RNA sequence: GCGCCUGUAGCUCAGUUGGAUAGAGCAACUGCCUUCUAAGCAGUGGGCCAGGGGUUCGAAUCCCUUCAGGCGCGCCA
């Protein structure tokens, strides 16, 4: 729909520009707010006004005349051409050009949806460009919490969108398996293990206090018995630490899997060190004169770029910082040949962005290739009361608990009903108890209703398959609600494109709710299966179109599309 | 103190990258099940888009400023 208008207007503009001789602006096309104004509109005349130094309405008139006289197929006959595609082309307001399509146009649009199915809903924006999205990347020092869940839902949906938009997408989880935090987990497990066996060693200050730490200790005891009892941490710490974080990592992987999120690659931070990549990246910076020593530590001159402070890469104790691995990691990602790398972070890490951008600049890597999506905090509520979350104290609600209690579909859908960068209130009881009022069911119910229709049609021996919804078969669709519904279906590609370009999955969520709404209204008002076979087939065709688009959208969100409810 | 984000209906949030008379879902109130799933439909009420200034044909959207809230500003990750 958008493409058709863009093409037609583009042709008209190119012809007219022989006379104007200006730099043509992009043709922006939008859905008018009010249905009555038209099906689609362009603002290009207003944009041209300053360029051509003419009033926008005059320009709009010229464009319309050009379209009617010289562009529209199949002949120069204005009446005929207009009848095939447009009911009306009109100027409105300050210079909008509003297009109103014919029923025939909508029938054809539905027909190509039915013929091409999902492929007609995707686009080739990416043209095979390699893009990598890194998300979740939770420290393997504890279970995933609800904030990670939001990141997982958004990241996964975004990847689905980008794939459908023709990008070659890789989903990556970065494992922070180096550094102090995993060591602290090891110490915590060590202490619990000793305590379990009656050796009351002190629990580390700021250690991880969650029950899962004891679980790991128990697990080690059942597998390996008491062999580490009274062994100093210096001797067995490494083994315990390794075991512990790998265990956590396995749990994280399981949680994600049950949430319906899978990764293509798990990149270990340790591996970067072991392969000498961290050292070599720092070395490269040093050779560029961007590394210096001060106070016994090694620093990166980030202030030469856009950061407001220089940053330590190697601590006084000789250990590399997390930032050092991150320097290496981001360079490495681009070295791996990705055209774009997207990092999805918790919004509390926003201060980190200038640092990484500085790094890319330091390596002469184009920083436009690096994009960050920030995920705002989730406030978890129970009965409208905030649940306080503190990881260190061990008092928090895990993603696992939420999935078990509320279910993955509802959880994901709620995460995806808001822009990533805006706060989200997640009330477990509202999500669960009022599940009938939950928007996810509204959308799924539309899908289930249609599925039910097809089952019944089949029982009555009516099938839209085989008999073929082609050519004139869709002509009986004449009701307002039917045209409205087709129009909604044909808007999907516009919404999808917008979601892909802006990296905003929530647009799909909103669209699906609207589509379901239009469908429910239609379903209530008009009977699909009737004695009129031609009409029944046409309406089933329309329903199949809705089903295809609902299916596509739900797949992108990672939410199931049930045949029955 | 500096930086980033947020402020839209009673509540939770959208708002097509600057477009037309500001939108949805809850909540409230009215109706609709002998008809393909009422997890549904139809309708009513509800707004100084935090306040103020600016930019232009046009601002919830961009710039400046004030106020309010959140988050950062480690040789943690």
């Amino acid at each position: 729909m958008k493409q058709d208008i863009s093409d037609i207007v583009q042709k008209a503009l190119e012809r007219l520009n022989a006379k104007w001789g200006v730099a043509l602006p992009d043709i922006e096309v939008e859905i008018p707010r009010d249905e009555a104004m038209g099906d689609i509109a362009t603002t290009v005349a207003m944009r041209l006004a300053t360029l051509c130094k003419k009033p926008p309405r005059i320009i709009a008139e010229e464009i319309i005349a050009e379209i009617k006289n010289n562009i529209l197929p199949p002949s120069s006959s204005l009446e005929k051409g207009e009848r095939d595609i447009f009911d009306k082309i009109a100027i409105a307001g300050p210079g909008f050009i509003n297009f109103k399509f014919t029923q025939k146009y909508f029938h054809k649009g539905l027909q190509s949806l039915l013929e091409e199915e999902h492929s007609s809903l995707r686009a080739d924006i990416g043209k095979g460009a390699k893009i990598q999205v890194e998300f979740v990347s939770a420290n393997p020092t504890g279970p995933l919490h609800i904030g990670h869940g939001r990141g997982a839902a958004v990241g996964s949906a975004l990847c689905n969108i980008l794939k459908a938009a023709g990008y070659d997408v890789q989903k990556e989880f970065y494992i922070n398996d180096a550094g102090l935090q995993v060591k602290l987990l090891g110490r915590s497990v060590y202490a619990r293990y000793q305590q379990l066996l009656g050796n009351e060693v002190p629990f580390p200050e700021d250690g991880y206090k969650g029950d899962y730490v004891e679980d790991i200790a128990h697990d080690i005891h059942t597998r390996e018995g008491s062999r580490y009892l009274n062994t100093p941490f210096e001797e067995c710490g490494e083994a315990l630490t390794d075991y512990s974080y790998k265990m956590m990592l396995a749990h994280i992987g399981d949680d994600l899997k049950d949430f319906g999120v899978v990764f293509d690659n798990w990149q270990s931070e340790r591996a970067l060190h072991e392969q000498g990549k961290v050292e070599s990246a720092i070395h490269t910076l040093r050779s560029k004169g961007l590394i210096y020593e001060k106070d016994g530590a090694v620093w990166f001159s980030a202030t030469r770029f856009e950061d407001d402070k220089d940053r330590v890469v190697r601590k006084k104790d000789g250990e590399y910082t997390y930032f050092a691995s991150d320097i290496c990691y981001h360079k490495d990602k681009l070295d791996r040949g990705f055209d774009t790398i997207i990092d999805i972070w918790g919004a509390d890490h926003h201060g980190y962005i200038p640092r990484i951008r500085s790094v890319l600049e330091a390596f002469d890597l184009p920083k436009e290739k690096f994009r960050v999506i920030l995920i705002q905090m989730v406030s978890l509520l129970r009965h409208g009361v905030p649940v306080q979350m503190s990881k260190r104290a061990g008092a928090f609600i895990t993603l696992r608990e939420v999935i078990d209690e509320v279910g993955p579909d509802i959880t994901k859908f709620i995460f995806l009903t808001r822009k990533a960068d805006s706060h989200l209130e997640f009330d477990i009881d509202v999500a669960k108890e009022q599940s009938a009022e939950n928007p996810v069911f509204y959308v799924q119910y539309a899908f289930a209703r249609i599925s039910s229709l097809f089952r019944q049609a089949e029982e009555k021996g009516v099938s839209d398959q085989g008999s073929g919804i082609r050519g004139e078969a869709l002509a009986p669709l004449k009701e307002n609600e039917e045209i409205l519904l087709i129009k909604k279906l044909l808007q999907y590609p516009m919404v999808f494109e917008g979601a892909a370009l802006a990296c905003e999955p929530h647009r799909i969520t909103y669209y699906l709710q609207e589509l379901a709404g239009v469908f429910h209204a239609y379903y209530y008002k008009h009977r699909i299966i009737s004695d009129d076979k031609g009409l029944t087939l046409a309406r089933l065709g329309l329903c199949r179109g809705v089903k295809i688009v609902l299916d596509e959208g739900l797949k992108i969100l990672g939410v199931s599309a049930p045949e029955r409810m």
Side-chain angles (χ1 to χ4, degrees), chain A residues 47-115:
Chain A
R47 294 185 175 279
L48 279 163
T50 35
L51 294 171
C52 299
K53 299 185 172 64
K54 273 196 274 193
R57 291 184 67 104
I58 303 288
I59 294 171
E61 261 171 51
E62 289 181 47
I63 295 171
I64 293 175
E66 189 64 28
I67 291 172
K68 284 184 176 172
N69 297 331
N70 298 319
I71 307 295
L72 284 181
S75 68
S76 58
S77 157
L78 181 157
E79 296 307 320
K80 198 176 170 196
E82 206 174 9
R83 260 204 312 275
D84 275 350
I85 303 179
F86 300 114
D87 255 350
K88 206 171 122 192
I89 309 175
I91 305 170
F96 290 93
I97 303 175
N98 290 330
F99 299 88
K100 193 164 172 51
F101 293 111
T102 57
Q103 289 196 351
K104 197 171 171 187
Y105 175 87
F106 285 119
H107 293 157
K108 275 185 77 177
L110 175 57
Q111 192 187 322
S112 25
L113 170 62
L114 293 173
E115 282 165 3

Side-chain angles (χ1 to χ4, degrees), chain A residues 479-492:
Chain A
E479 299 290 346
N480 259 339
E481 290 78 9
E482 289 168 333
I483 300 304
L484 214 63
L485 192 46
I486 297 173
K487 197 193 298 181
K488 200 78 207 167
L489 292 175
L490 300 187
Q491 284 171 12
Y492 178 84

Side-chain angles (χ1 to χ4, degrees), chain A residues 149-150 152-154 156-157 259 261 399 402-403 406-420 424-426 431 435 437-447 505-517 549-562:
Chain A
R150 187 177 186 188
V154 171
S156 166
F259 195 43
V261 175
L399 177 62
V402 176
I403 297 175
V406 179
D409 278 347
I410 300 178
T411 306
K412 268 192 214 159
F413 200 90
I414 291 176
F415 283 152
L416 294 168
T417 45
R418 285 175 190 26
K419 234 178 350 189
L424 171 69
E425 282 199 0
F426 190 103
S435 59
E437 316 264 326
N438 205 296
V440 65
F441 292 110
Y442 187 75
V443 176
Q444 289 181 320
Y445 184 51
F447 188 89
H506 76 278
R507 296 194 192 192
I508 305 286
T509 318
Y510 274 88
Y511 169 84
L512 289 178
Q513 294 182 69
E514 286 167 18
L515 174 60
V549 175
L550 286 175
D551 187 50
E552 173 77 8
L554 287 171
K555 271 208 180 83
I556 280 179
L557 301 186
V559 172
S560 67

Side-chain angles (χ1 to χ4, degrees), chain A residues 136-286:
Chain A
V136 187
S137 300
N139 282 350
T141 53
L144 295 177
H145 56 68
I146 195 153
H148 295 126
R150 187 177 186 188
V154 171
S156 166
L158 175 61
C159 289
N160 291 336
I161 289 173
L162 293 174
K163 269 181 205 165
Y167 290 92
D168 181 5
V169 183
Q170 188 192 49
K171 295 182 273 186
E172 181 154 299
F173 187 113
Y174 182 53
I175 310 167
N176 304 133
D177 49 7
L180 292 178
Q181 295 303 325
V182 284
K183 245 173 233 167
L184 187 58
L185 174 72
R187 283 182 188 281
S188 307
V189 170
Y190 172 82
R192 290 297 183 227
Y193 175 88
Q194 299 296 334
Q195 290 166 359
L196 184 70
L197 297 171
N199 177 15
E200 288 302 323
V201 300
F203 192 75
E205 203 178 331
D206 292 331
Y208 292 97
K209 296 197 177 80
D211 293 343
Y212 63 91
V213 177
E214 286 171 53
D215 293 344
I216 298 172
H218 266 284
D219 190 69
I220 291 172
H221 181 245
T222 32
R223 292 174 70 104
E224 312 207 27
S226 310
R227 57 180 288 202
Y228 300 120
L229 179 60
N230 295 320
T231 310
F233 184 77
E234 287 64 36
E235 283 173 35
C236 63
E238 201 175 317
L240 290 185
T241 301
D242 280 9
Y243 185 86
S244 302
Y245 90 75
K246 280 176 183 161
M247 182 110 215
M248 280 326 307
L249 209 52
H251 283 313
I252 288 172
D254 288 345
D255 288 353
L256 287 170
K257 200 175 154 209
D258 290 343
F259 195 43
V261 175
V262 287
F263 285 87
D264 303 313
N265 193 38
W266 295 67
Q267 174 62 49
S268 152
E269 181 187 355
R270 259 186 206 199
L272 296 175
H273 283 287
E274 284 161 6
Q275 292 158 5
K277 286 184 175 174
V278 177
E279 202 182 340
S280 118
I282 303 298
H283 184 76
T284 307
L285 291 179
R286 192 184 288 274

